[in-house]
């Protein structure tokens, strides 16, 4: 097990499978919230399901609409368990808090998209600013 330290985040402690891309993230423009998949053809995760995954991405794009979309996705029951960023923006953090979705950023050990790989099991503890790579 490896422990990654990051800035304290929002949301509950969750465990799940990582889905990683060295790409940015817009909840509004990158996702099909009705089918739970990445829908922007140029996104590295195009066609893959984000539902119940721990998303690991570079940075957040977008404003109020992206933040609102996180809560909307939760209401449909198709949402990621957590989102980890190298750097989030304050509006998306507010959206995560509203949706009670786990989110952390600013990893001490380096680029989070290089520290975690797709398929690894990870536990995100936003209150402690800690992500455990379990396997």
């Amino acid at each position: 097990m490896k422990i990654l330290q990051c800035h304290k985040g929002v949301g509950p402690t969750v465990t799940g499978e990582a889905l990683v891309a060295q790409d940015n993230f817009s909840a509004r423009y990158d996702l099909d919230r009705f089918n739970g998949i990445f829908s922007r053809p140029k996104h590295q995760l195009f066609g893959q399901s984000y539902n119940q995954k721990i998303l690991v991405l570079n940075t957040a794009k977008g404003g109020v609409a992206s933040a609102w979309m996180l809560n909307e996705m939760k209401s449909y029951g198709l949402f990621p368990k957590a989102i980890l960023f190298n750097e989030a923006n304050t509006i998306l953090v507010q959206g995560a808090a509203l949706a009670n979705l786990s989110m952390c950023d600013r990893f001490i050990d380096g680029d989070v998209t290089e520290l975690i790989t797709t398929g690894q099991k990870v536990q995100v503890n936003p209150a402690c600013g800690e992500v455990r790579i379990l396997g």
Side-chain angles (χ1 to χ4, degrees):
M1 175 179 61
K2 183 173 182 176
I3 300 174
L4 306 177
Q5 299 295 320
C6 58
H7 189 263
K8 290 182 181 179
V10 298
T13 298
V14 295
T15 302
E17 181 182 336
L19 181 61
V20 183
Q22 293 179 332
D23 205 339
N24 298 330
F25 175 80
S26 167
R28 181 175 181 194
Y29 294 112
D30 292 339
L31 305 180
D32 175 343
R33 69 184 186 274
F34 301 109
N35 294 302
I37 62 168
F38 279 83
S39 59
R40 184 171 57 88
K42 291 186 180 181
H43 198 282
Q44 291 174 2
L45 297 175
F46 175 70
Q48 294 189 52
S49 173
Y50 60 78
N51 190 40
Q52 300 303 304
K53 303 287 185 185
I54 308 289
L55 297 182
V56 183
L57 299 152
N58 183 42
T59 192
K61 301 182 298 185
V64 175
S66 270
W68 165 83
M69 287 288 294
L70 296 178
N71 194 47
E72 187 76 5
M73 289 164 28
K74 192 100 182 237
S75 74
Y76 292 142
L78 294 170
F79 58 95
K81 284 187 172 183
I83 307 175
L84 306 177
F85 289 113
N86 282 314
E87 187 174 344
N89 65 33
T90 55
I91 293 175
L92 208 61
V93 173
Q94 290 172 352
L98 173 65
N100 196 33
L101 180 72
S102 301
M103 185 179 290
C104 294
D105 73 342
R106 293 176 273 173
F107 284 78
I108 294 169
D109 299 300
D111 183 337
V112 71
T113 67
E114 295 176 357
L115 297 169
I116 300 172
T117 58
T118 293
Q120 286 185 307
K121 186 175 180 181
V122 297
Q123 180 182 64
V124 179
N125 185 335
C128 294
E130 183 178 281
V131 174
R132 293 175 183 252
I133 302 174
L134 304 174

